[in-house]
Amino acid sequence: MPSSRPPAADGMVTLTRTTVAGRAKSRGRRHRGETLTKVLFVLPAAVAMVALFGYPVVKNLLMSLQDYGLKTFFTGVAPWVGLQNYSTVVTDKLFSDAMVNTALFTIGSISFQFAIGLGLALFFHKKFPLSGLLRSLLLLPWLLPLIVSSATWRSILEQDSGILNRSLMGLHLINDPVPWLNSPSVALIAVIGVNIWIGIPFNVTLLYSGLAEIPDELYEAGQLDGATGWRAFFYITWPNLRSVASVVLMLGVVYTIKVLDIILGLTGGGPANATQTLATQSYEKSFIDFKFGQGAALSNILIALSFLFAIFYLRGTRRAVDE
């Protein structure tokens, strides 16, 4: 049966299909062009990251699998030993002590930094005269170089001439000077205290920013329902600050777990390895014993722990964005 559609209609259909196909090809070329442009914009940053971060990490990983010592710098020879460096550092009697000290140092520092930082953030969130000036002064411990801060605190904590012991004895709170940096039972506590002092401004700054983002209308509505004081904190402040708090805690752990300058400046890992952490042990293996392979193995263990907490940090930031 012959088609009832006129030839002109067939021509129009063919023309329409040709036009649609041409537009699709044009869109495809435009899309590929946009994709290429995006790649070219990102490529320099990607190359920089690979060169500045990727290469050192890969090199450190390779060093941890080699017998990389001082003579390697002269001979260029670093025999392949596989996982022997990891086995050596993990079975070292100091490794377990360093792990425990790292955990105590991190948990103790983060707990008090966050608690004190949150308290100060809530305090400065209330408007009062000179609040801006006091907040600026609070940033000084964070702005000072760590080695300067540790040297200052070392003089403060000196057993015989330190101002802390002299003040405590002057107030008759102690009878004999406390060996803050010379006693294995006290040194770690002193180092944690100094690190808390240094980390408080970081917590205050981020938590104060989180508090500033909470609308005042929520507190006004809460007052009508009787949510004041601690009730306002638990039912309004904390739920809205929780996402920021999770980021602060995760960042704090990642930063604290690899602290080196403060411990080296105060105790150098002593006395009797009482303040030895994974970071200080890695430093000693590399730059005191010149066993760079073992030092790299310890640093890779530290990187793995930091990467684990970084995963929690990324999840925390994603949850904060979703909320």
Side-chain angles (χ1 to χ4, degrees):
M1 182 177 178
S3 174
S4 60
R5 187 168 56 185
D10 292 335
M12 290 295 294
V13 171
T14 303
L15 180 61
T16 302
R17 290 176 178 174
T18 303
T19 303
V20 171
R23 290 178 179 176
K25 291 181 180 180
S26 178
R27 284 196 299 268
R29 286 194 298 269
R30 186 166 58 252
H31 178 71
R32 287 193 295 270
E34 292 176 354
T35 303
L36 180 61
T37 302
K38 294 176 182 178
V39 171
L40 291 177
F41 273 111
V42 175
L43 187 60
V47 171
M49 290 188 64
V50 170
L52 298 176
F53 299 101
Y55 174 76
V57 170
V58 173
K59 181 62 176 177
N60 195 70
L61 179 61
L62 292 176
M63 285 177 59
S64 69
L65 302 175
Q66 296 173 311
D67 184 11
Y68 207 104
L70 186 61
K71 63 180 181 181
T72 304
F73 290 96
F74 301 97
T75 64
V77 177
W80 190 268
V81 295
L83 299 177
Q84 181 179 336
N85 287 326
Y86 291 91
S87 176
T88 301
V89 298
V90 170
T91 55
D92 191 338
K93 61 181 181 180
L94 292 179
F95 180 79
S96 58
D97 293 337
M99 282 288 291
V100 172
N101 289 339
T102 301
L104 292 176
F105 178 78
T106 303
I107 295 173
S109 298
I110 295 302
S111 300
F112 285 95
Q113 284 176 1
F114 183 80
I116 298 173
L118 178 59
L120 289 174
L122 291 171
F123 173 74
F124 285 115
H125 188 56
K126 298 178 179 179
K127 304 299 180 182
F128 60 90
L130 300 179
S131 63
L133 176 62
L134 293 177
R135 287 204 314 271
S136 301
L137 293 176
L138 191 64
L139 291 176
L140 286 178
W142 196 24
L143 299 176
L144 288 175
L146 293 180
I147 195 66
V148 174
S149 299
S150 60
T152 303
W153 273 100
R154 185 177 179 84
S155 64
I156 293 174
L157 297 174
E158 282 288 342
Q159 180 174 350
D160 298 321
S161 59
I163 189 174
L164 179 59
N165 277 336
R166 287 181 175 271
S167 299
L168 293 176
M169 292 179 68
L171 295 173
H172 303 289
L173 297 177
I174 58 174
N175 296 321
D176 299 314
V178 178
W180 296 106
L181 303 177
N182 301 321
S183 172
S185 59
V186 181
L188 184 60
I189 298 175
V191 172
I192 292 174
V194 174
N195 192 58
I196 291 171
W197 177 81
I198 292 174
I200 286 175
F202 172 78
N203 286 260
V204 173
T205 301
L206 293 188
L207 292 173
Y208 179 84
S209 301
L211 289 173
E213 294 297 323
I214 302 176
D216 294 334
E217 291 78 5
L218 294 178
Y219 293 101
E220 295 173 0
Q223 289 179 354
L224 298 177
D225 295 332
T228 57
W230 286 105
R231 291 174 62 87
F233 174 80
F234 284 114
Y235 291 104
I236 300 175
T237 304
W238 181 249
N240 288 277
L241 192 65
R242 187 169 51 195
S243 58
V244 177
S246 64
V247 173
V248 172
L249 290 172
M250 290 304 107
L251 278 177
V253 170
V254 172
Y255 292 158
T256 305
I257 201 173
K258 56 185 180 62
V259 165
L260 176 65
D261 314 57
I262 301 170
I263 300 176
L264 288 181
L266 290 173
T267 63
N273 297 311
T275 58
Q276 191 79 259
T277 63
L278 291 179
T280 59
Q281 193 179 11
S282 175
Y283 172 83
E284 289 186 1
K285 289 289 185 183
S286 297
F287 301 106
I288 295 179
D289 300 335
F290 297 112
K291 298 178 180 179
F292 297 101
Q294 295 182 17
L298 281 168
S299 65
N300 284 332
I301 294 175
L302 201 59
I303 290 173
L305 293 175
S306 300
F307 181 73
L308 178 64
F309 285 109
I311 294 175
F312 286 101
Y313 161 66
L314 292 175
R315 291 183 60 185
T317 55
R318 182 180 304 172
R319 188 180 300 112
V321 172
D322 293 339
E323 293 180 355

